[in-house]
Amino acid sequence: MTTFDPYAPSRDTTEGKVFSVTGGDWDSLVQEIGATKEERVVVNMGPQHPSTHGVLRLVLELEGETITEVRCGIGYLHTGIEKNIEFRNWTQGTTFVTRMDYLSPLHNETAYCLAVEKLLGITNDVPERASVIRVMMMELNRISSHMVALGTGALELGAMGPMFFAFRDRETVLEIFEMITGLRMNMAYVRPGGVQQDLPEGAYTKIREGVKLMRKNFKDNATLLIGNSIWMKRTQGIGYLDLAGCTTLGITGPVLRSTGMPWDLRKVQPYCGYENYNFDVVTADTCDVYGRFLIRMNELEQSLRIIEQCVDKLEKLHGAPVMVADKKIAWPAQLALGGDGLGNSLDHIREIMGTSMESLIHHFKLVTEGFRVPAGQAYAAIESPRGELGASVVSDGGTRPYRVHFREPSFNNLQATPAMSEGGMVADIVAAVASIDPVMGGVDR
Amino acid sequence: MFGPKGTGDTSGYGGLVAKVVTPGSSERPYGGYFDEVTDNLERAYPEFSDAIERVVIDRGELTLHVKAEKLVDVAFVLRDSLKFEMCMGVNGVHYPEQTGRELHAVYPLLSMTKNQRIRLEVSVSDSNPHIPSLVEVWAGNNWHERETFDMFGIIFDGHPGLTRILMPDDWKGHPQRKDYALGGIPVEYKGATTPPPSDRRSYK
């Protein structure tokens, strides 16, 4: 309280003295706080903090370095996606939901499309090739999402190497995405009734090579982290949450599987034909950050196994349709790669502009007006990289969704932060939050 | 029935209005495990006929419409006797045309023991939007109820801290309600003006 410190100005409030720290000399702040003789300190962490996965705000109540209470502040990335969908047609909805959880766009799209297909009553009419492509894309997406979880998680605990490896491997997946959909993220590739377009030429080879490369590359991170004594000291026994805690908090995904519960919707409630693939549900029994880390590492190999089986199936199904046969639902145009990038296929444009007036009318009606979905509500749940991703979709019989709600695993699982970190050290909350792997785009929608 | 009205719009929008049929109550047998679930609930909860307003089977999903005042009792029975250990949250739906029961709260439940899913639905009026909180039954409903309060204005009685969660604390209104405007401004590009999404033509 000697001189005014521009980096840590203080002011008195009814709750005590408030310090605003934006950098600068930490020692003067410590001195000043020490002078207050206050044991209990409330620290605001975030929303702009490199270890909070985007714009998560944590309000920590500390006694020394021990956390006595945590509160999460969310909503900083709320974009009103669920409201906006109500003003677009059913197909345009995929463009919105893909932007919710931006690390697993294909899971969002698939959950939404499965719910819309359930409302339309065409779940069994979706062509097999479309389902296999969906599964393959989702598993690729699971890898890229786990890569971010592992890479940023390690970075937040001070390990920089794993992030370089993780983002290198993620790049392999993103290149495949770019080849197939034209985009690296937010693809709107999965559509009600199937997928937007078939795989381009050379996709099988590229995916097979990618799988081979990733299988080799994943060893780098495994060598760096599994059994690494510093890593284990930072993660073992940290962020403990047992099965009872998970159940009452509605926690799913790797956090639930780290309690030893083999709950994976791909196995127990298969969708998109997951029952036809050989893969194992990975579990751990440690209930801690290390267990969740191991689960994510081992799920990578399971995803690679599924992708290989998908490519085998796709080669057998080559040339089969990727969109439902009902022309009243299927998007009329198919995209094709031209000299100037992806666009409407020239064959289709020739047909509607030059030869068939009915095709033009049909195209126009479906694109401007969209299709109608019978009234009712449906809930479709899939296993996203973070847990159960549920799409609650309500239709009033019109061409626009009446209400779309996403049960986001990130949103739900983030509630476990206090249970995982209260009573622990302040440095461990970073590990606990990283093991939940929340994506703020999904939390706030 | 046909033909443009009002604006003289001849762009293909004929004003044809289709009648909307919402799924009604279902009769037994419900099929699948739905009979088993309702039978077990009736056995474990004697006030079943009083608390459950109707049972709807639609698109392979079971929905139990529960009276708001009985919701916590039903939830405890479902959790403890029928092994629905998990509630996947709650989401609201606003039906302004359903006078007296405008606001619906929908709870998807999951039983990991039996690998079953059902759905609870509670409807309350806009003027008295009170539903008992399920946080004491499933603690994970905490944030979901806050979100539903934030977006729809449904008040969950007994919630430990029912405050806004996504919108700022001092926000006015509840954005997901149908009477809440989407907002937006017309955008001009190269001489053409695109109206905001809520003002564009909508096909019924």
Side-chain angles (χ1 to χ4, degrees):
Chain A
M1 214 60 65
T2 45
T3 49
F4 176 73
D5 182 348
Y7 297 109
S10 62
R11 62 194 159 87
D12 286 301
T13 67
T14 50
E15 297 288 309
K17 201 173 262 301
V18 174
F19 298 89
S20 307
V21 187
T22 53
D25 190 1
W26 194 250
D27 284 342
S28 67
L29 174 78
V30 173
Q31 247 172 15
E32 211 175 346
I33 292 178
T36 60
K37 302 269 184 279
E38 184 81 63
E39 285 291 318
R40 171 179 158 274
V41 179
V42 182
V43 173
N44 179 52
M45 180 174 164
Q48 301 295 340
H49 188 281
S51 297
T52 55
H53 281 246
V55 284
L56 170 64
R57 178 181 172 212
L58 297 165
V59 183
L60 313 173
E61 199 175 308
L62 307 175
E63 294 225 4
E65 277 199 57
T66 307
I67 300 173
T68 52
E69 198 181 331
V70 185
R71 285 190 196 182
C72 297
I74 63 169
Y76 295 96
L77 208 54
H78 178 59
T79 43
I81 289 175
E82 291 178 2
K83 178 84 174 174
N84 269 287
I85 292 178
E86 294 169 15
F87 294 87
R88 303 300 203 290
N89 69 34
W90 289 95
T91 307
Q92 287 171 318
T94 51
T95 320
F96 277 92
V97 297
T98 192
R99 282 160 172 77
M100 286 183 169
D101 179 346
Y102 43 76
L103 290 185
S104 59
L106 287 152
H107 291 89
N108 301 342
E109 294 165 21
T110 309
Y112 169 79
C113 290
L114 288 175
V116 175
E117 283 157 11
K118 212 178 209 182
L119 281 172
L120 284 163
I122 58 166
T123 306
N124 296 325
D125 301 336
V126 176
E128 190 189 349
R129 188 173 167 85
S131 288
V132 179
I133 293 178
R134 284 179 182 182
V135 169
M136 184 185 75
M137 297 297 270
M138 281 194 287
E139 291 308 321
L140 284 165
N141 204 168
R142 192 180 310 277
I143 291 175
S144 70
S145 172
H146 278 357
M147 277 297 144
V148 176
L150 292 167
T152 59
L155 184 70
E156 284 160 8
L157 296 185
M160 189 160 261
M163 190 204 65
F164 293 141
F165 288 138
F167 275 73
R168 173 196 65 189
D169 299 344
R170 181 170 182 258
E171 201 59 30
T172 315
V173 174
L174 295 188
E175 274 170 19
I176 296 174
F177 282 165
E178 191 173 357
M179 181 192 199
I180 293 174
T181 69
L183 295 164
R184 289 155 61 89
M185 60 197 296
N186 304 338
M187 304 88 166
Y189 179 68
V190 182
R191 300 280 175 89
V195 295
Q196 177 212 46
Q197 56 176 328
D198 205 345
L199 302 181
E201 214 165 295
Y204 305 135
T205 323
K206 186 163 178 88
I207 297 163
R208 278 193 201 287
E209 280 169 5
V211 168
K212 212 170 133 191
L213 180 68
M214 283 190 279
R215 185 164 279 144
K216 180 170 129 305
N217 281 348
F218 288 162
K219 293 199 181 84
D220 291 333
N221 262 345
T223 325
L224 263 185
L225 292 174
I226 296 176
N228 177 327
S229 58
I230 304 174
W231 180 250
M232 286 169 67
K233 276 187 181 143
R234 287 302 310 270
T235 55
Q236 277 188 326
I238 305 296
Y240 186 90
L241 191 68
D242 61 8
L243 181 57
C246 284
T247 312
T248 187
L249 287 168
I251 310 287
T252 45
V255 182
L256 177 63
R257 289 195 285 278
S258 74
T259 67
M261 176 84 186
W263 185 260
D264 188 324
L265 294 179
R266 295 177 291 172
K267 267 285 190 249
V268 291
Q269 296 175 358
Y271 50 91
C272 291
Y274 264 111
E275 62 275 22
N276 305 323
Y277 299 89
N278 291 320
F279 66 100
D280 302 323
V281 176
V282 184
T283 58
D285 56 2
T286 52
C287 308
D288 62 359
V289 177
Y290 190 66
R292 289 162 211 150
F293 154 74
L294 283 183
I295 288 174
R296 292 204 174 90
M297 286 298 263
N298 294 328
E299 277 186 353
L300 297 173
E301 171 58 26
Q302 301 305 322
S303 292
L304 289 179
R305 278 176 70 190
I306 299 175
I307 293 164
E308 285 174 330
Q309 295 168 49
C310 287
V311 180
D312 291 344
K313 279 180 203 275
L314 287 172
E315 279 177 333
K316 281 191 201 115
L317 290 166
H318 190 77
V322 294
M323 190 44 112
V324 70
D326 187 347
K327 290 289 179 203
K328 291 286 181 195
I329 293 167
W331 196 246
Q334 293 300 322
L335 298 188
L337 191 63
D340 54 350
L342 268 182
N344 266 325
S345 93
L346 292 177
D347 289 338
H348 180 69
I349 293 177
R350 202 170 298 124
E351 189 194 346
I352 62 173
M353 300 309 286
T355 59
S356 168
M357 190 173 172
E358 287 73 21
S359 291
L360 178 64
I361 295 170
H362 173 74
H363 182 112
F364 181 77
K365 284 274 283 180
L366 204 57
V367 172
T368 56
E369 186 176 328
F371 50 81
R372 281 174 183 74
V373 172
Q377 61 179 331
Y379 181 82
I382 66 167
E383 186 74 28
S384 94
R386 278 158 276 284
E388 172 167 334
L389 176 68
S392 296
V393 179
V394 183
S395 171
D396 67 342
T399 57
R400 294 170 165 185
Y402 191 73
R403 165 94 171 112
V404 176
H405 175 75
F406 266 59
R407 187 265 180 206
E408 263 287 341
S410 306
F411 176 80
N412 189 89
N413 294 2
L414 204 52
Q415 294 184 91
T417 312
M420 283 182 182
S421 31
E422 283 177 4
M425 304 298 276
V426 67
D428 293 336
I429 194 173
V430 174
V433 170
S435 77
I436 297 173
D437 185 23
V439 175
M440 297 315 287
V443 174
D444 294 340
R445 284 155 288 140
Chain B
M1 189 161 96
F2 293 97
K5 289 192 185 71
T7 61
D9 173 18
T10 54
S11 62
Y13 170 57
L16 175 64
V17 178
K19 195 174 181 313
V20 174
V21 186
T22 43
S25 304
S26 307
E27 297 295 325
R28 277 176 183 275
Y30 301 140
Y33 57 80
F34 301 148
D35 288 294
E36 182 200 325
V37 170
T38 37
D39 284 346
N40 288 342
L41 184 60
E42 268 187 288
R43 215 167 296 137
Y45 185 63
E47 293 175 59
F48 180 89
S49 54
D50 183 36
I52 309 293
E53 293 172 322
R54 59 197 188 100
V55 180
V56 177
I57 313 284
D58 182 43
R59 279 128 172 144
E61 295 177 348
L62 168 69
T63 311
L64 299 173
H65 289 255
V66 187
K67 279 186 187 159
E69 60 269 24
K70 303 280 186 190
L71 179 65
V72 177
D73 296 346
V74 174
F76 269 120
V77 174
L78 284 170
R79 187 192 72 177
D80 297 337
S81 307
L82 275 78
K83 302 278 175 257
F84 283 94
E85 305 99 345
M86 276 203 192
C87 180
M88 305 324 275
V90 53
N91 73 283
V93 190
H94 187 206
Y95 298 98
E97 73 286 354
Q98 293 186 17
T99 316
R101 38 200 330 158
E102 290 94 347
L103 294 165
H104 290 224
V106 182
Y107 302 83
L109 304 187
L110 168 68
S111 166
M112 292 195 291
T113 314
K114 297 185 176 171
N115 202 7
Q116 293 172 342
R117 280 181 195 277
I118 64 167
R119 181 194 289 129
L120 300 182
E121 190 161 340
V122 181
S123 45
V124 289
S125 72
D126 206 357
S127 51
N128 185 27
H130 287 268
I131 295 177
S133 168
L134 289 185
V135 174
E136 58 170 328
V137 191
W138 292 288
N141 256 28
N142 189 324
W143 282 17
H144 296 278
E145 288 181 3
R146 282 177 64 191
E147 188 194 341
T148 309
F149 161 72
D150 196 355
M151 293 295 155
F152 290 89
I154 298 176
I155 297 161
F156 292 91
D157 296 320
H159 190 284
L162 194 67
T163 51
R164 287 188 182 271
I165 186 164
L166 295 178
M167 304 302 286
D169 288 342
D170 54 354
W171 197 261
K172 297 263 190 310
H174 300 283
Q176 284 284 358
R177 293 165 66 114
K178 292 288 175 187
D179 50 12
Y180 186 100
L182 179 67
I185 53 163
V187 176
E188 196 197 311
Y189 182 65
K190 290 192 175 175
T193 307
T194 308
S198 51
D199 293 352
R200 293 176 202 161
R201 184 180 297 123
S202 111
Y203 299 86
K204 285 292 163 204

